[in-house]
Structure formats: structure tokens, C-alpha cells
Amino acid sequence: MKKFSAKWLHRWLGIPLCLLLFFSALSGILLNHRELLVTCNVPNALLPADYRITNWSQAAGKGHLRHQGYDYIYGQAGVWRRPTDSPWSVAQPANEGLPAGIDARKVVAMQSDSQGLWLATQYGLFYRQAQRWESIPIPDREGARLSDLQLQGDSLVLMSRSHIFTAPQSKVPQWQRHELVAPDDYTGALSLFRLLWALHSGEYLGLAGRLLVDAIGIVMMLLSATGLYYTILRSRADQCKGQDKDKRRLGRLLMTQYRWHNGLGRWLFVPLLFIVLSGWCLRPPLMIPLVMGKLKPWSISHLSSDNPWHERLRALRFDKYTGEWLLSTSEGFYRLSSWGSKPYKWSVQPSVSPMGINVMEQLAAREWLIGSFSGLFLVDEQQRRVWDYLSNKEVDTSIRTRPTSRLMVSGYVSRAGDSIHLFTYDEGLVLMQRGQAPSPRQLLVQPSEVAEMPYSLWQYALEMHTGRLYQPLIGKWGVELFVFALGALTLVVLLSGYIRKRRA
């Protein structure tokens, strides 16, 4: 590469990327501190039209529960209810007592007993007996978010991403923590994708690692700002026809910006290169081989734990026919007969999107409905077979599927015969029959307030970081290629700047 070509690439690729890199770094810093942003919202006006919630889309609806004459709809939009005997009435909010932040009131599970309602968000447990939710003391989760809630007999069963907690049903429950036994196939290894994700965010080394990556993000923001400012000053200096005093002032400003830009880029080139490379590999197509490989984290890592299920638990269901528990985890599906018994691998392993499981319903003995952004699957344990509910074709579970499918399932409502009411991410509430395309339904009328709700700041940062926020400008395929293209171009800018400086 010639010196002039490196200079040309660095300038004319870098200038258009400045704003994208600035906001990519800023959003990455925000993503690193979700627990600090749970009460922070973004006005609805700052969202593109594609983000407008219609018919409980965008995961606003996750589940449905009928209790004491009311239908309750819950999900990322909180809790809403309408009288059961008025099927076409508009749902009203039922969020009194829940935190104000959208991210803090995202519901992961809701259950009912004879007296009232139990509700679990990612960060808290609540009970409703009258017209208001009351916060219930929860156990020390070691920072892990809650992932599920079940009622079994007179007991509460609360799942975090690392432990199971049980207690008698009470407003002041006496929790007992259960650390599940390692299964026979446990090695302690994590997917290369998960490890690289943790390295990219700094999570691999806990808070210290996240702060270190934050500092690199700030450097990227400074490089973007100083590079853009230098270009503007250089253009003004070239056009300046004023006095020598003005030229000298612009010259000093130019030299200051040049020194900052080159100094930061030179001394922090390696960490900047690593952050860009690691982020580049976390999206298709480069992520595909990373999902297949596994590696055990170092003992110094925050991901290393004596608990074999650390950050691996996702959902929990009780099998009323066998008396066992079915676990959905990041390592697949397992069964266990008691909290102290050894979990064993489920006889079949349907696909679940990395974004998490959203439907896990038992239809009959040894027959389950499993849904996520990877689609909806009917599982027959006895025959050890899995069918894609949309195409009604048997699935080869040894073949990995795409993280998202045409049917992005975000929740479950009810089943009547062969018909199932589901929440999907794109179309909201739909009616679906096996082997047929889903059709939208207004079974639970969405109030206008849901469409006008603010957006979680953390989720907004995620949409920006992945490029989905730019879909109105670059289209769906542009979003698919956004991270790959941005990563490739940023690598060219970094390398051309480094080569230019080395040859200067």
C-alpha cells in the first residue's frame, strides 16, 4: 500500500464513518451498564415508524392469564387487563406499584393463586391482591437476572440465570437456594461466541473489564470527534484568506487536533483493533463457526464459576404427567426429578434462538410446544421427533438453524383444538394452525397508550449498536450486513491510519 493510498483511505473512509463509530461506541458503553439504566426511557418520538407497536407486536405481549373475571396481558409493555366478559373492550394498564422504567417492568413470568397474582420481572418479584403490585423480598441472586417463576402446589419456584429458589407462598417468603448438580455432559466449556462476546464487552473480567472496554469506547469517540474536527479545520484553513493572525490560530488548532488524534490512535491501536475485530465476528457470517466451537474460560474470568449452571438457566416447567421438571438452558433442554438430583439431557433438542425461549407449553403427555425467534416447534418425546409448526415438516435437530426465522415467536396466549393463539414479534397476536401461515387477530384489543409508550434506553442502545435502528434508511438487508460492513470498513480505516503514521 502506497503512502498516498493509505492517506486517501484513512480520510475518505474515516470521514463518513465518524458519526456511526461515535454512536456505536456510545451505545456500547450504555449496553455495558444495564443495571444503571433500568429506569431510563427514550421518548417514543425518537423511534422510527417501524418500531410502533401494533396488535401487541415488538414483544409487547409475552403471555396471557385469566384471573377472577379479568384477562391479563403481560410482556415488555408491562401488564394490561380487560374484563373477561367484554372481549372487545380495550385493555387498561395494571402497572400500579411497578417501577417506572420500561426495562424494569419487562415481565418474564406471571402466575395466579386463589388470592391474587404473582409477577416476576428481570429484576424483581411482585404480588397483587387488590389494585396495586407489592414488591416481594427476593433472595441474593449474585447479580443474575430473574428468568422464570412457577407455582407448584403451595410453593413458589423462582429461577434466576444461575440458581433455583423455593419458598412457601407468602408475602414474606423464606427462600431456600438450590444449586443444581452438574449433568453428565458438563465440561465447564462455553461457546466461542459467548466467550468472544464477553471479551468484546469486558464482561470476561467483570466490572473492571467492562470499565476498561468503556475507556476504549471513549477513545473511539475521541478519535471520531477529533478526526472530523481536524477535517473541518483543515478545510477552513485552506480557504482562509484573512490575516496571518487567523492562519496562525487555525494552525495551532490543527496541530492540537492532529497530535491528539495520532497520539490516541498510535498508543491504543492494539486494543482498538481487538474491539473492532471481536465485534465484527459477533454477527453473521463470521459468528457461525464461533457458535459451533467451545472453550473453557480461565479461572480469573468472571464467567468461571464453581456453579455448573452459572448464567445458563432460562426457563422452567413442571411436567404434570411425570412429576419432573423440564429446564431450558443455554446448553439445551434437561429434565430433573428433584432439586438435588442430577439433570439429564432431554431426549430431543429443538432449536432455540440465542435471544431466548419464549414459549414452553405442555400440550399432552410427552408432547411440548417450544417457541422462540427461531420458530415454533412441536416436540414428541416418546417418538423423539420434532416438527416445524409452520411448515408441518419434521426437523433434523442435528442441523443448526438460523437465529431468526419467518415466524419470530415472542409469546403464547391459548390453544383451542388445532388452533393456537400466539404473540409474534412482527405481527403481534396471531391465530395459527399447524402447517398454515399465521393470520393476525384482534382477540385482545391493544390500547393506543401501548403504541405511544416510551422505549427502554438500554434497548435503544442495543438497536443502535446492531444497526437495526437504521433500517428505515438502509433496509432489512442493510441491517443484516450493517455490523459486517461497519467492522470491515473500520478495520481498513484503523490499518490505513497506522500504516500512514508508521511511514510518516
Side-chain angles (χ1 to χ4, degrees):
M1 181 182 292
K2 296 181 180 179
K3 181 178 178 180
F4 75 88
S5 63
K7 178 180 179 180
W8 187 92
L9 283 171
H10 190 71
R11 173 178 293 182
W12 297 113
L13 279 181
I15 291 173
L17 291 180
C18 278
L19 287 178
L20 285 177
L21 289 176
F22 184 92
F23 286 114
S24 182
L26 176 61
S27 59
I29 293 171
L30 294 177
L31 290 174
N32 257 354
H33 302 282
R34 186 172 189 174
E35 66 279 3
L36 301 178
L37 304 177
V38 291
T39 59
C40 300
N41 299 327
V42 173
N44 188 274
L46 295 180
L47 296 170
D50 291 348
Y51 282 78
R52 189 172 181 84
I53 300 172
T54 57
N55 192 29
W56 305 101
S57 62
Q58 310 283 336
K62 178 181 175 65
H64 165 262
L65 184 66
R66 183 164 289 178
H67 178 74
Q68 295 182 351
Y70 284 94
D71 286 318
Y72 289 85
I73 306 99
Y74 59 90
Q76 295 203 39
V79 185
W80 300 75
R81 72 173 187 173
R82 61 113 195 248
T84 302
D85 59 1
S86 301
W88 296 108
S89 61
V90 178
Q92 299 298 315
N95 296 308
E96 303 86 350
L98 296 180
I102 297 298
D103 197 40
R105 64 169 56 170
K106 289 180 180 178
V107 182
V108 297
M110 188 171 173
Q111 301 291 336
S112 64
D113 60 24
S114 58
Q115 301 298 319
L117 296 166
W118 293 91
L119 178 145
T121 68
Q122 297 178 99
Y123 305 99
L125 180 65
F126 301 87
Y127 186 70
R128 183 186 179 108
Q129 196 168 5
Q131 298 299 315
R132 186 176 181 84
W133 294 101
E134 299 179 31
S135 180
I136 302 298
I138 56 177
D140 180 14
R141 309 184 312 281
E142 299 179 356
R145 301 199 307 271
L146 299 180
S147 55
D148 208 348
L149 169 70
Q150 295 291 308
L151 301 186
Q152 180 55 34
D154 59 354
S155 296
L156 291 168
V157 182
L158 187 65
M159 173 189 274
S160 75
R161 293 199 168 200
S162 301
H163 295 93
I164 302 290
F165 302 91
T166 59
Q169 291 183 35
S170 167
K171 291 186 178 181
V172 189
Q174 301 298 312
W175 295 102
Q176 181 178 359
R177 189 177 79 166
H178 305 275
E179 186 172 300
L180 301 183
V181 179
D184 288 333
D185 60 348
Y186 175 72
T187 63
L190 295 172
S191 71
L192 294 177
F193 175 79
R194 177 73 178 91
L195 292 174
L196 190 61
W197 190 342
L199 287 168
H200 179 71
S201 67
E203 181 193 354
Y204 194 86
L205 297 176
L207 179 59
R210 285 188 287 150
L211 292 176
L212 178 61
V213 170
D214 289 348
I216 299 171
I218 292 172
V219 170
M220 181 65 79
M221 293 168 67
L222 289 173
L223 286 171
S224 300
T226 54
L228 188 59
Y229 190 38
Y230 176 83
T231 303
I232 295 172
L233 285 176
R234 184 64 181 268
S235 177
R236 287 185 59 189
D238 292 342
Q239 298 174 8
C240 183
K241 297 180 180 180
Q243 300 177 357
D244 291 341
K245 183 179 178 180
D246 294 330
K247 291 184 178 181
R248 286 195 299 270
R249 181 177 59 85
L250 284 173
R252 287 194 297 270
L253 284 173
L254 274 171
M255 186 57 64
T256 300
Q257 296 302 312
Y258 182 82
R259 287 172 178 171
W260 270 101
H261 190 80
N262 284 279
L264 289 171
R266 182 174 68 252
W267 293 109
L268 295 172
F269 174 75
V270 172
L272 285 167
L273 186 65
F274 173 77
I275 292 299
V276 173
L277 269 173
S278 58
W280 191 38
C281 293
L282 290 176
R283 298 288 290 177
L286 299 178
M287 66 173 282
I288 296 173
L290 295 175
V291 175
M292 300 177 181
K294 287 194 173 186
L295 190 68
K296 191 172 182 179
W298 290 349
S299 58
I300 62 171
S301 170
H302 178 69
L303 301 180
S304 179
S305 173
D306 294 333
N307 177 8
W309 296 100
H310 177 68
E311 288 288 341
R312 288 174 166 88
L313 303 179
R314 297 295 182 266
L316 178 73
R317 294 292 185 273
F318 183 74
D319 189 331
K320 60 184 179 182
Y321 295 97
T322 66
E324 294 180 306
W325 290 95
L326 178 62
L327 297 172
S328 172
T329 77
S330 59
E331 307 301 313
F333 290 86
Y334 290 82
R335 280 185 170 273
L336 74 163
S337 56
S338 66
W339 306 127
S341 64
K342 180 182 292 187
Y344 62 94
K345 205 88 171 184
W346 206 18
S347 58
V348 282
Q349 295 292 321
S351 296
V352 173
S353 168
M355 277 75 85
I357 189 167
N358 296 317
V359 174
M360 191 169 157
E361 297 294 326
Q362 188 165 30
L363 303 182
R366 301 289 181 177
E367 193 172 291
W368 293 79
L369 199 63
I370 303 296
S372 70
F373 282 7
S374 290
L376 186 67
F377 301 95
L378 182 64
V379 179
D380 189 325
E381 278 191 273
Q382 190 169 3
Q383 298 183 32
R384 298 187 178 184
R385 300 171 74 183
V386 178
W387 285 269
D388 185 310
Y389 210 86
L390 180 62
S391 65
N392 199 25
K393 294 180 180 179
E394 189 170 355
V395 176
D396 184 352
T397 56
S398 65
I399 300 175
R400 292 186 178 272
T401 60
R402 287 174 53 87
T404 58
S405 74
R406 288 184 298 160
L407 184 66
M408 297 172 64
V409 178
S410 58
Y412 178 84
V413 179
S414 62
R415 175 174 177 253
D418 294 333
S419 299
I420 295 176
H421 282 100
L422 295 168
F423 290 114
T424 63
Y425 189 82
D426 293 324
E427 298 185 38
L429 182 59
V430 300
L431 175 67
M432 187 172 182
Q433 292 184 326
R434 191 171 172 182
Q436 297 182 18
S439 56
R441 286 290 185 272
Q442 289 287 338
L443 179 68
L444 301 169
V445 181
Q446 176 191 296
S448 59
E449 296 95 325
V450 173
E452 299 167 0
M453 285 176 55
Y455 207 65
S456 155
L457 176 58
W458 185 89
Q459 189 68 38
Y460 190 84
L462 179 63
E463 300 299 296
M464 180 183 293
H465 203 69
T466 57
R468 290 193 292 265
L469 202 63
Y470 309 125
Q471 182 166 324
L473 297 175
I474 61 178
K476 185 175 181 180
W477 282 106
V479 171
E480 292 286 333
L481 297 173
F482 176 81
V483 173
F484 179 81
L486 181 62
L489 293 174
T490 305
L491 284 174
V492 173
V493 170
L494 282 175
L495 291 171
S496 60
Y498 180 76
I499 291 171
R500 178 191 174 192
K501 184 60 183 175
R502 293 281 292 180
R503 291 184 175 182

